Amino acid sequence: MDNRQALGSWLSGPRAAAEEAGVDFGYRGEQLGLPEEGPGSIARPGRRLGALAVDWGLSLLIAYGLITQSYNEAAQIWAPLIMFALMVLTVGTVGFTPGKRLLGLRVLALDTGRVSPWRAALRTVLLFLAIPALIWDRDGRGLHDRLAGTVEVRI
């Protein structure tokens, strides 16, 4: 390997260098037994962020329209509390929030398929901390999903 190849592998990242060397990583969700495409496959980051934005907008709308008449107070105090309750209650009962349902996503427990309320609460607390949600494994699951034993899939 000459210097250009070594520098190129460093710039493209370790995964690209390993794939160039012949390592097969498979597709996202293969280790979990999920299909590569279609219903039941791992949810993509764009849809997940879109669902989070829809849920945040809904929480702001509820906080502003029903509780306060000040956008500043609604955004700072009530909207996060409403979003927390919305996520724990809906994911813990039906497996999705309104935003996830709108974008065709669902949260499943890996062992039982149904997310229990305590798993939904753990997942939501870790999601609110933000750092666990920003650390992903090779299957595309955030650390909050790994610690809660859940996976977010397409419907």
Short mmCIF file of all heavy atoms in Angstrom, two decimals, residues 1-2 4-10 12-25:
data_model
loop_
_atom_site.label_atom_id
_atom_site.label_comp_id
_atom_site.label_asym_id
_atom_site.label_seq_id
_atom_site.Cartn_x
_atom_site.Cartn_y
_atom_site.Cartn_z
N MET A 1 0.85 -1.17 0.00
CA MET A 1 0.00 0.00 0.00
C MET A 1 0.90 1.23 0.00
O MET A 1 1.75 1.39 0.85
CB MET A 1 -0.90 -0.01 1.25
CG MET A 1 -1.80 1.18 1.34
SD MET A 1 -2.84 1.23 2.82
CE MET A 1 -4.06 0.00 2.47
N ASP A 2 0.68 2.09 -0.98
CA ASP A 2 1.48 3.32 -1.02
C ASP A 2 0.82 4.41 -0.17
O ASP A 2 -0.25 4.21 0.40
CB ASP A 2 1.71 3.78 -2.45
CG ASP A 2 0.43 4.21 -3.16
OD1 ASP A 2 -0.62 4.27 -2.50
OD2 ASP A 2 0.50 4.52 -4.35
N ARG A 4 -0.66 7.16 -0.98
CA ARG A 4 -1.95 7.66 -1.47
C ARG A 4 -3.09 6.75 -1.02
O ARG A 4 -4.15 7.22 -0.63
CB ARG A 4 -1.94 7.81 -2.98
CG ARG A 4 -1.06 8.96 -3.45
CD ARG A 4 -1.02 9.00 -4.92
NE ARG A 4 -0.34 7.77 -5.35
CZ ARG A 4 -0.07 7.45 -6.59
NH1 ARG A 4 -0.43 8.23 -7.56
NH2 ARG A 4 0.56 6.34 -6.89
N GLN A 5 -2.88 5.45 -1.07
CA GLN A 5 -3.91 4.52 -0.63
C GLN A 5 -4.13 4.63 0.87
O GLN A 5 -5.27 4.60 1.34
CB GLN A 5 -3.53 3.09 -0.99
CG GLN A 5 -3.68 2.76 -2.45
CD GLN A 5 -3.26 1.33 -2.72
OE1 GLN A 5 -2.30 0.83 -2.12
NE2 GLN A 5 -3.97 0.67 -3.62
N ALA A 6 -3.07 4.77 1.63
CA ALA A 6 -3.19 4.90 3.08
C ALA A 6 -3.94 6.18 3.44
O ALA A 6 -4.83 6.17 4.29
CB ALA A 6 -1.82 4.89 3.74
N LEU A 7 -3.60 7.27 2.76
CA LEU A 7 -4.28 8.54 3.02
C LEU A 7 -5.73 8.47 2.57
O LEU A 7 -6.63 8.94 3.26
CB LEU A 7 -3.56 9.68 2.30
CG LEU A 7 -4.11 11.08 2.53
CD1 LEU A 7 -4.02 11.43 4.01
CD2 LEU A 7 -3.36 12.10 1.71
N GLY A 8 -5.98 7.83 1.44
CA GLY A 8 -7.35 7.69 0.95
C GLY A 8 -8.21 6.86 1.88
O GLY A 8 -9.37 7.18 2.10
N SER A 9 -7.66 5.80 2.45
CA SER A 9 -8.45 4.99 3.38
C SER A 9 -8.73 5.75 4.66
O SER A 9 -9.77 5.59 5.27
CB SER A 9 -7.73 3.68 3.70
OG SER A 9 -6.56 3.94 4.45
N TRP A 10 -7.80 6.61 5.07
CA TRP A 10 -8.02 7.42 6.26
C TRP A 10 -9.12 8.44 6.02
O TRP A 10 -9.98 8.66 6.87
CB TRP A 10 -6.72 8.12 6.65
CG TRP A 10 -6.88 9.01 7.83
CD1 TRP A 10 -6.97 8.63 9.12
CD2 TRP A 10 -7.01 10.42 7.81
NE1 TRP A 10 -7.12 9.72 9.93
CE2 TRP A 10 -7.15 10.85 9.15
CE3 TRP A 10 -7.00 11.39 6.82
CZ2 TRP A 10 -7.29 12.18 9.50
CZ3 TRP A 10 -7.14 12.71 7.16
CH2 TRP A 10 -7.28 13.09 8.49
N SER A 12 -11.65 8.29 3.81
CA SER A 12 -12.96 7.69 3.59
C SER A 12 -13.50 6.97 4.81
O SER A 12 -14.67 6.62 4.86
CB SER A 12 -12.90 6.74 2.39
OG SER A 12 -11.95 5.73 2.63
N GLY A 13 -12.68 6.71 5.79
CA GLY A 13 -13.14 6.10 7.02
C GLY A 13 -12.81 4.63 7.11
O GLY A 13 -12.49 3.97 6.11
N PRO A 14 -12.90 4.06 8.30
CA PRO A 14 -12.52 2.66 8.50
C PRO A 14 -13.46 1.69 7.81
O PRO A 14 -13.03 0.64 7.36
CB PRO A 14 -12.55 2.49 10.02
CG PRO A 14 -13.40 3.60 10.53
CD PRO A 14 -13.26 4.73 9.54
N ARG A 15 -14.75 2.03 7.71
CA ARG A 15 -15.68 1.11 7.06
C ARG A 15 -15.35 0.96 5.58
O ARG A 15 -15.33 -0.15 5.05
CB ARG A 15 -17.11 1.58 7.25
CG ARG A 15 -18.11 0.64 6.61
CD ARG A 15 -19.54 1.09 6.82
NE ARG A 15 -20.44 0.17 6.19
CZ ARG A 15 -21.36 -0.52 6.81
NH1 ARG A 15 -21.52 -0.39 8.11
NH2 ARG A 15 -22.15 -1.35 6.17
N ALA A 16 -15.08 2.07 4.90
CA ALA A 16 -14.75 2.02 3.48
C ALA A 16 -13.45 1.25 3.26
O ALA A 16 -13.33 0.47 2.31
CB ALA A 16 -14.66 3.42 2.91
N ALA A 17 -12.47 1.45 4.13
CA ALA A 17 -11.21 0.73 4.01
C ALA A 17 -11.41 -0.77 4.23
O ALA A 17 -10.84 -1.59 3.52
CB ALA A 17 -10.20 1.28 5.01
N ALA A 18 -12.25 -1.14 5.19
CA ALA A 18 -12.51 -2.55 5.45
C ALA A 18 -13.28 -3.18 4.29
O ALA A 18 -13.00 -4.31 3.91
CB ALA A 18 -13.28 -2.71 6.75
N GLU A 19 -14.25 -2.44 3.73
CA GLU A 19 -14.99 -2.97 2.59
C GLU A 19 -14.08 -3.15 1.39
O GLU A 19 -14.23 -4.11 0.63
CB GLU A 19 -16.17 -2.05 2.25
CG GLU A 19 -17.31 -2.16 3.24
CD GLU A 19 -18.42 -1.17 2.98
OE1 GLU A 19 -18.22 -0.21 2.20
OE2 GLU A 19 -19.50 -1.36 3.56
N GLU A 20 -13.15 -2.23 1.20
CA GLU A 20 -12.20 -2.34 0.10
C GLU A 20 -11.29 -3.56 0.29
O GLU A 20 -10.87 -4.18 -0.68
CB GLU A 20 -11.36 -1.06 0.03
CG GLU A 20 -10.48 -0.99 -1.20
CD GLU A 20 -9.74 0.33 -1.25
OE1 GLU A 20 -10.42 1.37 -1.33
OE2 GLU A 20 -8.50 0.30 -1.21
N ALA A 21 -11.05 -3.91 1.53
CA ALA A 21 -10.22 -5.08 1.83
C ALA A 21 -11.00 -6.39 1.72
O ALA A 21 -10.44 -7.46 1.87
CB ALA A 21 -9.61 -4.96 3.22
N GLY A 22 -12.32 -6.31 1.49
CA GLY A 22 -13.10 -7.51 1.29
C GLY A 22 -14.01 -7.90 2.44
O GLY A 22 -14.60 -8.98 2.42
N VAL A 23 -14.13 -7.07 3.45
CA VAL A 23 -15.01 -7.38 4.59
C VAL A 23 -16.45 -7.09 4.19
O VAL A 23 -16.75 -6.05 3.63
CB VAL A 23 -14.61 -6.55 5.83
CG1 VAL A 23 -15.56 -6.79 6.97
CG2 VAL A 23 -13.19 -6.86 6.23
N ASP A 24 -17.36 -8.02 4.47
CA ASP A 24 -18.77 -7.83 4.16
C ASP A 24 -19.53 -7.50 5.44
O ASP A 24 -19.62 -8.32 6.35
CB ASP A 24 -19.35 -9.10 3.52
CG ASP A 24 -20.82 -8.95 3.16
OD1 ASP A 24 -21.26 -7.80 2.90
OD2 ASP A 24 -21.53 -9.97 3.13
N PHE A 25 -20.07 -6.29 5.51
CA PHE A 25 -20.80 -5.86 6.70
C PHE A 25 -22.29 -6.23 6.62
O PHE A 25 -22.99 -6.16 7.61
CB PHE A 25 -20.68 -4.34 6.90
CG PHE A 25 -19.33 -3.92 7.40
CD1 PHE A 25 -18.44 -3.29 6.56
CD2 PHE A 25 -18.97 -4.17 8.71
CE1 PHE A 25 -17.20 -2.90 7.02
CE2 PHE A 25 -17.72 -3.78 9.18
CZ PHE A 25 -16.83 -3.14 8.33
#
